[in-house]
Amino acid sequence: MRYALLITGSPYQSKACHSALRFLKAALSSSDHVLEGVFFYQDAVLIGNKLTQPPRDELNLTAAWQSLAKEHQLPLSLCIAASVRRGIIDEKESQRYELTESSLADGFQLEGLGRLVELINTTHKVIQFR
């Protein structure tokens, strides 16, 4: 089965990112599943902020997602509009807004809603975590 994940819940005020990560780890252990991509939308885009520093005794969700994506070559897409609104920008957006820094964590990419539509149209299921 080919599927995509849509995550909309904040990594700090819901368990959406935790639950999606655990689900993904389990699904990737089966050869019957192919993940086409992960799309973070609304407050879930906060997962891609490289400046966030969780307490040392808590799981670093951003690092966990980065590690899993690197290990399995998974695309992690953040909605660009939701990200910019929350101060998460890449080098290109930093130049566009005449800022000196970027805040997008490695392994994440800014994408428009067209990417979500593409995932919806090319997979069997989209599983949402909110």
Side-chain angles (χ1 to χ4, degrees), residues 1 7 19 29 33 43 53 75-76 78 83 85 112 114 120-121:
M1 177 179 295
I7 305 168
S19 298
S29 67
H33 301 286
D43 280 343
Q53 295 298 315
L76 301 176
L78 304 180
S83 296
R85 184 176 303 118
I120 290 168
N121 288 329

Side-chain angles (χ1 to χ4, degrees), residues 46 52 62 71 75 84-85 94 100-101:
L46 294 170
T52 302
T62 299
E71 180 182 345
V84 169
R85 184 176 303 118
S94 177
T100 58
E101 299 292 326

Side-chain angles (χ1 to χ4, degrees), residues 27-97:
L28 290 172
S29 67
S30 170
S31 62
D32 296 336
H33 301 286
V34 176
L35 179 74
E36 296 294 327
V38 179
F39 194 86
F40 296 88
Y41 189 50
Q42 298 172 344
D43 280 343
V45 300
L46 294 170
I47 195 77
N49 185 344
K50 74 178 180 184
L51 302 175
T52 302
Q53 295 298 315
R56 292 184 182 192
D57 62 340
E58 291 182 14
L59 172 67
N60 184 331
L61 269 176
T62 299
W65 276 101
Q66 288 170 313
S67 176
L68 190 64
K70 186 175 182 179
E71 180 182 345
H72 294 281
Q73 302 299 307
L74 301 174
L76 301 176
S77 303
L78 304 180
C79 173
I80 190 169
S83 296
V84 169
R85 184 176 303 118
R86 290 163 177 84
I88 302 167
I89 56 174
D90 60 7
E91 291 294 330
K92 182 179 174 184
E93 293 300 310
S94 177
Q95 292 172 2
R96 178 178 174 198
Y97 292 105

